[in-house]
Amino acid sequence: MGIFPGIILIFLRVKFATAAVIVSGHQKSTTVSHEMSGLNWKPFVYGGLASIVAEFGTFPVDLTKTRLQVQGQSIDVRFKEIKYRGMFHALFRICKEEGVLALYSGIAPALLRQASYGTIKIGIYQSLKRLFVERLEDETLLINMICGVVSGGVVPTAQRAAIVVGVELPVYDITKKHLILSGLMGDTILTHFVSSFTCGLAGALASNPVDVVRTRMMNQRAIVGHVDLYKGTLDGILKMWKHEGFFALYKGFWPNWLRLGPWNIILFKLHSPESDKEK
């Protein structure tokens, strides 16, 4: 896995999550030109439930991504060792040394986070879009990005959330819109699959550096003596680049993308019954 020690892991997690979202709730839309309804509670409910299912389905990939991102640090000696060679090696070694259940270590707080954050994120994003446009054809990348960034929030976790939501949701909507309106594809599972993996790739590329720093900052601890740890997101990015090279910022990229693809498929398709009715 060389320069991208975790890329496959992120990619698989995203793809499986996205696939789950699409298949679990897939309902074909009538026409993309129907007017979208106004604010209501359903986007929040569908968004929350979809986020929980997607998180559960892709959590093992996310776990391997985290471990790949933490290892190989030159600043924190606790994580200096390169223990995992890639996503699949991490999955196998964790199962062998810690047991299969270890792949779901920490799942409870992760699901609780999605139950709250996922509900708010998707609900606000869909509601904000309907304040700007009434029809799918009228959506633009700029409008969707603004809605995504606002719904994502802004501390490392909030920064990553704003980046991910501000990129993924708009890219998904715009990709799906052009695929359908251009006549290349209908409103099918394949369309959702392609749109989900496209937005997952965009999200992983945009957020991975912040995600790596966020993960390391959550794991760092005060050590006796002078230790030059990360003081913030920008400080962490600059220090990683200086001590470990540029590609260290993309550790765990494949697991990140592989997670986001399936995650988004599950999310958007579980949420799609409400979206389809609004078109």
Side-chain angles (χ1 to χ4, degrees), residues 192-238:
H192 289 277
F193 189 86
V194 173
S195 301
S196 295
F197 275 99
T198 301
C199 78
L201 174 60
L205 287 172
S207 69
N208 208 86
V210 175
D211 192 39
V212 175
V213 173
R214 180 201 64 163
T215 299
R216 291 191 175 187
M217 289 182 68
M218 288 180 175
N219 281 278
Q220 72 181 6
R221 65 185 174 90
I223 303 175
V224 179
H226 177 70
V227 178
D228 196 15
L229 298 178
Y230 309 127
K231 299 181 178 64
T233 305
L234 181 59
D235 181 61
I237 290 176
L238 293 177

Side-chain angles (χ1 to χ4, degrees), residues 1 4-10 12 59-71 82-104 252 255:
M1 294 288 125
F4 289 113
I7 278 186
I8 291 183
L9 218 120
I10 295 178
L12 289 177
F59 190 80
V61 178
D62 195 39
L63 176 67
T64 57
K65 179 207 71 170
T66 299
R67 296 203 180 187
L68 287 168
Q69 291 179 338
V70 169
Q71 69 178 4
I82 303 294
K83 188 175 182 180
Y84 308 111
R85 296 192 299 270
M87 181 183 69
F88 292 114
H89 180 253
L91 285 170
F92 176 78
R93 188 163 180 177
I94 291 172
C95 288
K96 181 180 179 181
E97 297 179 354
E98 305 173 41
V100 177
L101 293 181
L103 294 175
Y104 279 91

Side-chain angles (χ1 to χ4, degrees), residues 121-181:
K121 174 182 68 176
I122 303 300
I124 292 180
Y125 175 72
Q126 295 294 340
S127 299
L128 283 177
K129 282 202 306 178
R130 279 147 190 74
L131 293 178
F132 287 102
V133 297
E134 294 182 352
R135 300 183 305 163
L136 177 65
E137 298 94 317
D138 297 329
E139 291 185 13
T140 65
L141 181 60
L142 178 59
I143 290 177
N144 289 354
M145 286 186 66
I146 293 175
C147 295
V149 171
V150 172
S151 63
V154 226
V155 298
T157 299
Q159 292 169 353
R160 178 185 179 275
I163 293 173
V164 170
V165 180
V167 173
E168 282 186 12
L169 297 182
V171 170
Y172 174 87
D173 283 336
I174 293 300
T175 302
K176 179 183 172 185
K177 167 188 171 182
H178 286 294
L179 287 174
I180 295 176
L181 295 182

